[in-house]
Coordinates of all heavy atoms in Angstrom, one line a residue:
M579 N 66.7 -4.4 44.9 CA 66.4 -4.1 43.5 C 65.1 -4.7 43.0 O 64.4 -4.1 42.3 CB 67.6 -4.6 42.6 CG 67.4 -4.5 41.2 SD 68.2 -3.1 40.5 CE 67.9 -3.2 38.8
Y580 N 64.8 -5.9 43.4 CA 63.6 -6.6 43.0 C 62.4 -5.9 43.5 O 61.4 -5.8 42.7 CB 63.6 -8.1 43.5 CG 62.5 -8.9 43.1 CD1 62.3 -9.2 41.7 CD2 61.5 -9.3 44.0 CE1 61.3 -10.0 41.3 CE2 60.4 -10.0 43.6 CZ 60.3 -10.4 42.2 OH 59.2 -11.1 41.8
K581 N 62.4 -5.3 44.7 CA 61.3 -4.6 45.2 C 61.1 -3.3 44.4 O 59.9 -2.9 44.2 CB 61.5 -4.3 46.7 CG 61.3 -5.5 47.6 CD 61.4 -5.1 49.0 CE 61.2 -6.3 49.9 NZ 61.1 -6.0 51.3
A582 N 62.1 -2.7 44.0 CA 62.0 -1.5 43.2 C 61.4 -1.8 41.8 O 60.5 -1.0 41.3 CB 63.4 -0.9 42.9
V583 N 61.7 -2.9 41.2 CA 61.1 -3.3 40.0 C 59.6 -3.6 40.2 O 58.8 -3.2 39.4 CB 61.8 -4.5 39.4 CG1 61.1 -5.1 38.2 CG2 63.2 -4.2 39.0
Q584 N 59.3 -4.2 41.3 CA 57.9 -4.5 41.6 C 57.1 -3.2 41.8 O 55.9 -3.1 41.3 CB 57.7 -5.4 42.8 CG 58.1 -6.8 42.6 CD 57.9 -7.6 43.9 OE1 58.1 -7.1 45.0 NE2 57.6 -8.9 43.8
G585 N 57.7 -2.2 42.4 CA 57.0 -1.0 42.6 C 56.8 -0.2 41.3 O 55.7 0.3 41.1
V586 N 57.7 -0.3 40.4 CA 57.6 0.4 39.1 C 56.5 -0.4 38.3 O 55.7 0.3 37.6 CB 58.9 0.4 38.3 CG1 58.7 0.8 36.9 CG2 59.9 1.3 39.0
R587 N 56.5 -1.7 38.4 CA 55.5 -2.5 37.6 C 54.1 -2.2 38.2 O 53.2 -2.0 37.4 CB 55.8 -4.0 37.8 CG 54.9 -4.8 37.0 CD 55.4 -6.3 37.0 NE 54.5 -7.1 36.2 CZ 53.4 -7.7 36.7 NH1 53.0 -7.6 37.9 NH2 52.7 -8.5 35.8
A588 N 54.0 -2.1 39.5 CA 52.7 -1.8 40.1 C 52.2 -0.4 39.7 O 51.0 -0.2 39.3 CB 52.8 -1.9 41.6
A589 N 53.1 0.5 39.6 CA 52.7 1.9 39.2 C 52.3 1.9 37.7 O 51.3 2.6 37.4 CB 53.9 2.8 39.4
A590 N 53.0 1.1 36.9 CA 52.7 1.1 35.5 C 51.3 0.4 35.3 O 50.5 0.9 34.5 CB 53.7 0.3 34.7
V591 N 51.0 -0.6 36.1 CA 49.7 -1.3 36.0 C 48.6 -0.3 36.4 O 47.5 -0.2 35.8 CB 49.7 -2.5 36.9 CG1 48.2 -3.1 37.0 CG2 50.6 -3.6 36.3
R592 N 48.8 0.5 37.4 CA 47.8 1.5 37.9 C 47.6 2.5 36.8 O 46.4 2.9 36.5 CB 48.3 2.2 39.2 CG 48.1 1.3 40.4 CD 48.2 2.1 41.7 NE 49.5 2.7 41.8 CZ 50.6 2.1 42.4 NH1 50.5 0.9 42.9 NH2 51.7 2.8 42.4
V593 N 48.6 3.0 36.1 CA 48.5 4.0 35.0 C 47.7 3.4 33.9 O 46.8 4.0 33.3 CB 49.9 4.4 34.6 CG1 49.8 5.3 33.3 CG2 50.5 5.3 35.7
V594 N 48.0 2.1 33.5 CA 47.3 1.5 32.4 C 45.8 1.4 32.7 O 44.9 1.6 31.9 CB 47.9 0.1 32.1 CG1 47.1 -0.7 31.1 CG2 49.3 0.3 31.5
R595 N 45.5 0.9 34.0 CA 44.1 0.8 34.4 C 43.4 2.1 34.3 O 42.2 2.2 33.9 CB 44.0 0.2 35.8 CG 44.3 -1.3 35.8 CD 44.2 -1.8 37.2 NE 44.5 -3.2 37.2 CZ 45.0 -3.9 38.3 NH1 45.1 -3.2 39.4 NH2 45.3 -5.1 38.2
A596 N 44.0 3.2 34.8 CA 43.4 4.5 34.8 C 43.2 5.0 33.4 O 42.1 5.6 33.1 CB 44.4 5.5 35.5
V597 N 44.1 4.7 32.5 CA 43.9 5.1 31.1 C 42.7 4.3 30.5 O 41.9 4.9 29.7 CB 45.2 4.9 30.3 CG1 45.0 5.0 28.8 CG2 46.3 5.9 30.7
R598 N 42.6 3.0 30.8 CA 41.5 2.2 30.2 C 40.2 2.7 30.8 O 39.2 2.8 30.0 CB 41.7 0.8 30.6 CG 42.8 0.1 29.8 CD 42.9 -1.4 30.2 NE 44.0 -2.0 29.4 CZ 44.5 -3.2 29.7 NH1 44.0 -3.8 30.8 NH2 45.5 -3.7 29.0
V599 N 40.1 3.1 32.0 CA 38.9 3.6 32.6 C 38.5 4.9 32.0 O 37.3 5.1 31.6 CB 39.0 3.7 34.1 CG1 37.8 4.5 34.7 CG2 39.1 2.3 34.8
R600 N 39.4 5.8 31.8 CA 39.2 7.1 31.2 C 38.7 6.9 29.7 O 37.8 7.6 29.3 CB 40.4 7.9 31.2 CG 40.2 9.3 30.6 CD 41.4 10.2 30.8 NE 41.2 10.9 32.1 CZ 41.9 11.8 32.5 NH1 43.0 12.2 31.8 NH2 41.7 12.4 33.7
A601 N 39.3 5.9 29.0 CA 38.9 5.7 27.6 C 37.5 5.2 27.6 O 36.7 5.6 26.7 CB 39.9 4.7 27.0
R602 N 37.1 4.3 28.5 CA 35.7 3.7 28.5 C 34.7 4.8 28.8 O 33.7 4.9 28.2 CB 35.6 2.6 29.5 CG 36.1 1.3 29.0 CD 35.7 0.2 30.0 NE 36.8 -0.8 30.0 CZ 37.4 -1.2 31.1 NH1 37.0 -0.8 32.3 NH2 38.4 -2.1 31.0
L603 N 35.1 5.7 29.8 CA 34.1 6.8 30.1 C 34.0 7.7 29.0 O 32.9 8.2 28.7 CB 34.6 7.5 31.4 CG 34.5 6.7 32.7 CD1 35.2 7.4 33.8 CD2 33.1 6.3 33.0
G604 N 35.1 8.0 28.3 CA 35.0 8.9 27.2 C 34.2 8.3 26.0 O 33.4 9.0 25.4
A605 N 34.3 7.0 25.8 CA 33.6 6.4 24.7 C 32.1 6.4 25.0 O 31.3 6.6 24.1 CB 34.1 5.0 24.5
V606 N 31.7 6.2 26.3 CA 30.3 6.2 26.7 C 29.7 7.6 26.5 O 28.6 7.8 26.0 CB 30.1 5.7 28.1 CG1 28.7 6.0 28.6 CG2 30.5 4.2 28.2
A607 N 30.5 8.6 26.9 CA 30.0 10.0 26.8 C 29.9 10.5 25.3 O 29.0 11.3 25.0 CB 31.0 10.9 27.5
R608 N 30.7 9.9 24.4 CA 30.7 10.4 23.0 C 29.8 9.5 22.2 O 29.7 9.7 21.0 CB 32.1 10.4 22.5 CG 32.9 11.5 23.0 CD 34.3 11.3 22.4 NE 34.9 10.3 23.3 CZ 36.0 9.6 22.9 NH1 36.5 9.8 21.8 NH2 36.5 8.7 23.7
R609 N 29.1 8.5 22.7 CA 28.3 7.6 21.9 C 27.2 8.3 21.2 O 26.4 9.1 21.8 CB 27.8 6.5 22.7 CG 27.2 5.4 21.9 CD 26.8 4.2 22.8 NE 28.0 3.7 23.4 CZ 28.0 2.9 24.5 NH1 26.9 2.7 25.2 NH2 29.1 2.5 25.0
D610 N 27.0 8.1 19.9 CA 26.0 8.7 19.1 C 25.0 7.7 18.7 O 25.4 6.5 18.4 CB 26.5 9.4 17.8 CG 27.2 10.7 18.1 OD1 27.1 11.2 19.3 OD2 28.0 11.2 17.3
A611 N 23.7 8.0 18.6 CA 22.7 7.1 18.1 C 22.7 7.0 16.6 O 22.2 6.0 16.0 CB 21.4 7.5 18.6
G612 N 23.2 8.0 15.9 CA 23.1 8.0 14.5 C 23.8 9.3 13.9 O 24.4 10.0 14.6
M613 N 23.5 9.5 12.6 CA 24.1 10.7 12.0 C 23.3 11.9 12.3 O 22.0 11.8 12.4 CB 24.2 10.5 10.5 CG 25.2 9.5 10.0 SD 25.5 9.5 8.3 CE 24.0 9.1 7.6
A614 N 23.9 13.1 12.3 CA 23.2 14.3 12.4 C 22.7 14.8 11.1 O 23.0 14.2 10.0 CB 24.1 15.4 13.0
T615 N 21.8 15.8 11.1 CA 21.2 16.2 9.8 C 22.3 16.7 8.8 O 22.2 16.4 7.6 CB 20.3 17.4 10.1 OG1 19.3 17.0 11.1 CG2 19.6 17.9 8.9
A616 N 23.3 17.4 9.3 CA 24.4 17.8 8.4 C 25.1 16.6 7.8 O 25.5 16.7 6.6 CB 25.4 18.7 9.1
E617 N 25.3 15.5 8.5 CA 26.0 14.4 8.0 C 25.1 13.7 6.9 O 25.6 13.2 5.9 CB 26.3 13.4 9.1 CG 27.4 13.9 10.0 CD 27.5 13.1 11.2 OE1 26.5 12.4 11.7 OE2 28.6 13.0 11.8
Y618 N 23.8 13.7 7.1 CA 22.9 13.1 6.1 C 22.9 14.0 4.9 O 23.0 13.4 3.7 CB 21.4 13.1 6.6 CG 21.1 12.0 7.5 CD1 20.7 12.2 8.8 CD2 21.1 10.7 7.0 CE1 20.4 11.1 9.6 CE2 20.7 9.6 7.8 CZ 20.4 9.8 9.1 OH 20.1 8.8 9.9
A619 N 23.0 15.3 5.0 CA 23.0 16.2 3.8 C 24.3 15.9 3.1 O 24.3 15.8 1.8 CB 22.9 17.6 4.3
M620 N 25.4 15.8 3.8 CA 26.7 15.6 3.1 C 26.7 14.2 2.4 O 27.2 14.1 1.3 CB 27.9 15.7 4.1 CG 28.1 17.1 4.6 SD 28.4 18.3 3.2 CE 29.9 17.7 2.6
G621 N 26.2 13.2 3.0 CA 26.1 11.9 2.4 C 25.2 11.9 1.2 O 25.5 11.3 0.2
L622 N 24.1 12.7 1.2 CA 23.2 12.8 0.1 C 23.9 13.5 -1.1 O 23.8 13.1 -2.2 CB 21.9 13.5 0.5 CG 20.9 13.6 -0.6 CD1 20.4 12.3 -1.1 CD2 19.7 14.5 -0.1
V623 N 24.6 14.6 -0.8 CA 25.4 15.3 -1.8 C 26.4 14.4 -2.5 O 26.6 14.4 -3.7 CB 26.0 16.6 -1.2 CG1 27.0 17.2 -2.2 CG2 24.9 17.6 -0.9
A624 N 27.1 13.6 -1.6 CA 28.2 12.7 -2.2 C 27.5 11.7 -3.1 O 28.1 11.3 -4.1 CB 29.0 12.1 -1.0
A625 N 26.4 11.1 -2.6 CA 25.7 10.1 -3.4 C 25.3 10.6 -4.8 O 25.4 10.0 -5.8 CB 24.6 9.5 -2.6
V626 N 24.7 11.8 -4.7 CA 24.2 12.4 -6.0 C 25.4 12.7 -6.9 O 25.3 12.5 -8.1 CB 23.4 13.7 -5.7 CG1 23.1 14.5 -7.0 CG2 22.1 13.3 -5.0
A627 N 26.5 13.2 -6.4 CA 27.7 13.5 -7.2 C 28.2 12.2 -7.8 O 28.6 12.2 -9.0 CB 28.8 14.2 -6.4
F628 N 28.3 11.1 -7.0 CA 28.7 9.9 -7.6 C 27.8 9.4 -8.7 O 28.2 8.9 -9.7 CB 28.8 8.8 -6.5 CG 29.3 7.5 -6.9 CD1 30.6 7.3 -7.3 CD2 28.4 6.4 -7.0 CE1 31.1 6.1 -7.7 CE2 28.9 5.2 -7.5 CZ 30.2 5.0 -7.8
A629 N 26.5 9.5 -8.5 CA 25.5 9.1 -9.5 C 25.7 9.9 -10.8 O 25.6 9.3 -11.9 CB 24.1 9.2 -8.9
V630 N 25.9 11.2 -10.7 CA 26.1 12.0 -11.9 C 27.3 11.5 -12.6 O 27.3 11.4 -13.9 CB 26.2 13.5 -11.5 CG1 26.6 14.3 -12.7 CG2 24.8 14.0 -11.0
V631 N 28.4 11.3 -11.9 CA 29.7 10.9 -12.6 C 29.4 9.5 -13.2 O 29.8 9.3 -14.4 CB 30.8 10.8 -11.6 CG1 32.0 10.1 -12.2 CG2 31.2 12.2 -11.1
L632 N 28.8 8.6 -12.5 CA 28.5 7.3 -13.1 C 27.6 7.4 -14.3 O 27.9 6.7 -15.3 CB 27.9 6.4 -12.0 CG 27.7 4.9 -12.4 CD1 29.0 4.2 -12.7 CD2 26.9 4.2 -11.3
Y633 N 26.6 8.2 -14.3 CA 25.7 8.4 -15.4 C 26.5 8.9 -16.6 O 26.3 8.5 -17.8 CB 24.6 9.3 -15.1 CG 23.7 9.7 -16.2 CD1 22.7 8.8 -16.6 CD2 23.8 10.9 -16.9 CE1 21.9 9.0 -17.7 CE2 22.9 11.2 -18.0 CZ 22.0 10.3 -18.4 OH 21.2 10.5 -19.4
K634 N 27.4 9.9 -16.4 CA 28.1 10.5 -17.5 C 29.1 9.4 -18.1 O 29.2 9.4 -19.3 CB 29.0 11.7 -17.0 CG 28.2 12.9 -16.7 CD 27.6 13.5 -17.9 CE 26.9 14.8 -17.6 NZ 26.3 15.4 -18.8
V635 N 29.7 8.6 -17.3 CA 30.6 7.6 -17.8 C 29.8 6.5 -18.6 O 30.2 6.2 -19.7 CB 31.4 6.9 -16.6 CG1 32.1 5.7 -17.1 CG2 32.3 7.9 -16.0
V636 N 28.7 6.1 -18.1 CA 27.9 5.0 -18.7 C 27.3 5.5 -20.0 O 27.2 4.8 -21.0 CB 26.9 4.5 -17.8 CG1 25.9 3.5 -18.5 CG2 27.5 3.7 -16.6
T637 N 26.9 6.8 -20.1 CA 26.3 7.3 -21.3 C 27.3 7.9 -22.3 O 26.9 8.3 -23.4 CB 25.2 8.4 -21.0 OG1 25.9 9.4 -20.2 CG2 24.1 7.8 -20.2
S638 N 28.6 7.8 -22.0 CA 29.5 8.3 -23.0 C 29.6 7.4 -24.2 O 29.2 6.2 -24.1 CB 30.9 8.4 -22.3 OG 31.4 7.1 -22.0
G639 N 30.1 7.8 -25.3 CA 30.0 7.1 -26.5 C 30.8 5.7 -26.5 O 30.2 4.7 -26.8
A640 N 32.0 5.7 -26.0 CA 32.8 4.5 -26.0 C 32.2 3.5 -25.0 O 32.1 2.3 -25.4 CB 34.2 4.8 -25.6
V641 N 31.8 3.9 -23.9 CA 31.2 2.9 -22.9 C 29.9 2.4 -23.4 O 29.6 1.2 -23.2 CB 31.1 3.6 -21.5 CG1 30.4 2.7 -20.5 CG2 32.5 3.9 -21.0
S642 N 29.1 3.3 -23.9 CA 27.8 2.9 -24.4 C 27.9 1.9 -25.5 O 27.2 0.8 -25.5 CB 27.0 4.1 -24.9 OG 25.7 3.7 -25.4
T643 N 28.8 2.1 -26.4 CA 29.1 1.1 -27.5 C 29.5 -0.2 -27.0 O 29.1 -1.3 -27.4 CB 30.1 1.7 -28.5 OG1 29.7 3.0 -29.0 CG2 30.3 0.8 -29.7
E644 N 30.4 -0.2 -26.0 CA 30.9 -1.5 -25.4 C 29.8 -2.2 -24.7 O 29.7 -3.4 -24.8 CB 32.1 -1.2 -24.4 CG 33.4 -0.8 -25.1 CD 33.9 -2.0 -25.9 OE1 33.8 -3.2 -25.5 OE2 34.4 -1.8 -27.0
L645 N 29.0 -1.5 -24.0 CA 27.9 -2.1 -23.3 C 26.9 -2.8 -24.3 O 26.4 -3.9 -24.1 CB 27.1 -1.1 -22.4 CG 27.9 -0.7 -21.1 CD1 27.1 0.4 -20.4 CD2 28.1 -1.9 -20.2
Q646 N 26.6 -2.1 -25.4 CA 25.7 -2.6 -26.4 C 26.3 -3.8 -27.0 O 25.6 -4.8 -27.3 CB 25.4 -1.5 -27.5 CG 24.5 -0.4 -27.0 CD 24.3 0.7 -28.0 OE1 24.9 0.6 -29.1 NE2 23.5 1.6 -27.7
D647 N 27.6 -3.8 -27.3 CA 28.3 -5.0 -27.9 C 28.2 -6.2 -26.9 O 28.0 -7.3 -27.3 CB 29.7 -4.7 -28.2 CG 29.9 -3.8 -29.4 OD1 28.9 -3.6 -30.1 OD2 31.0 -3.2 -29.5
I648 N 28.4 -5.9 -25.6 CA 28.3 -7.0 -24.6 C 26.9 -7.6 -24.6 O 26.8 -8.9 -24.6 CB 28.7 -6.5 -23.2 CG1 30.2 -6.2 -23.2 CG2 28.4 -7.5 -22.1 CD1 30.7 -5.5 -22.0
V649 N 25.9 -6.8 -24.6 CA 24.5 -7.3 -24.6 C 24.2 -8.1 -25.9 O 23.6 -9.1 -25.8 CB 23.5 -6.1 -24.4 CG1 22.1 -6.6 -24.6 CG2 23.7 -5.5 -23.0
K650 N 24.7 -7.6 -27.0 CA 24.4 -8.3 -28.3 C 25.1 -9.6 -28.3 O 24.5 -10.6 -28.7 CB 24.9 -7.4 -29.5 CG 24.0 -6.3 -29.8 CD 24.6 -5.5 -31.0 CE 23.8 -4.3 -31.3 NZ 24.3 -3.4 -32.3
R651 N 26.3 -9.7 -27.8 CA 27.0 -11.0 -27.8 C 26.3 -12.0 -26.8 O 26.2 -13.1 -27.1 CB 28.5 -10.8 -27.3 CG 29.4 -10.4 -28.5 CD 30.8 -10.3 -28.1 NE 31.0 -9.1 -27.4 CZ 31.9 -8.8 -26.5 NH1 32.8 -9.8 -26.1 NH2 32.0 -7.6 -25.9
A652 N 25.8 -11.4 -25.7 CA 25.1 -12.3 -24.8 C 23.8 -12.8 -25.4 O 23.4 -14.0 -25.2 CB 24.8 -11.5 -23.5
L653 N 23.1 -12.0 -26.1 CA 21.8 -12.4 -26.7 C 22.1 -13.4 -27.9 O 21.2 -14.2 -28.2 CB 21.0 -11.2 -27.1 CG 20.5 -10.3 -26.0 CD1 19.8 -9.1 -26.6 CD2 19.6 -11.1 -25.1
D654 N 23.2 -13.2 -28.6 CA 23.5 -14.0 -29.8 C 24.2 -15.3 -29.4 O 24.5 -16.2 -30.3 CB 24.3 -13.3 -30.8 CG 23.6 -12.1 -31.4 OD1 22.3 -12.2 -31.4 OD2 24.2 -11.2 -31.9
A655 N 24.5 -15.5 -28.1 CA 25.2 -16.7 -27.7 C 24.4 -18.0 -28.0 O 23.2 -18.0 -27.8 CB 25.6 -16.6 -26.2
K656 N 25.1 -19.0 -28.4 CA 24.4 -20.3 -28.7 C 24.5 -21.2 -27.4 O 25.6 -21.2 -26.8 CB 25.0 -21.0 -29.9 CG 24.8 -20.2 -31.1 CD 25.4 -21.0 -32.3 CE 25.2 -20.2 -33.5 NZ 25.8 -20.8 -34.7
V657 N 23.4 -21.8 -27.1 CA 23.4 -22.7 -25.9 C 23.7 -24.1 -26.2 O 23.4 -24.7 -27.1 CB 22.0 -22.5 -25.2 CG1 22.0 -23.4 -23.9 CG2 21.7 -21.1 -24.9

């Protein structure tokens, strides 16, 4: 029985090693140096959309008033 367990264990070790080697080879084959042009374009579109939303929030009436109040309190603070 002990030899059977050793045989199964050895087979499992060989399978694990084979999977690791295949994973390493796949990772090397898929390695990219950077983003493609389409990825840059999508990143730029996302950044512009975020900037537009942030601009709209900051220039809204309630937020603008709060920001002005914060600046006034900071300037009026006594040292």
Side-chain angles (χ1 to χ4, degrees):
M579 171 102 176
Y580 183 69
K581 287 186 179 186
V583 172
Q584 284 180 332
V586 170
R587 183 173 183 271
V591 168
R592 283 193 300 270
V593 169
V594 168
R595 285 183 184 155
V597 168
R598 286 182 182 165
V599 168
R600 180 174 272 188
R602 279 191 215 128
L603 290 174
V606 169
R608 287 176 281 159
R609 189 173 296 158
D610 286 343
M613 290 192 297
T615 304
E617 291 169 333
Y618 279 116
M620 291 303 295
L622 183 61
V623 169
V626 169
F628 180 73
V630 168
V631 169
L632 185 62
Y633 176 77
K634 289 291 186 181
V635 168
V636 170
T637 58
S638 69
V641 174
S642 180
T643 303
E644 286 295 321
L645 288 174
Q646 287 175 0
D647 289 343
I648 291 171
V649 171
K650 283 180 186 176
R651 278 186 279 154
L653 294 175
D654 292 338
K656 295 182 181 178
V657 180

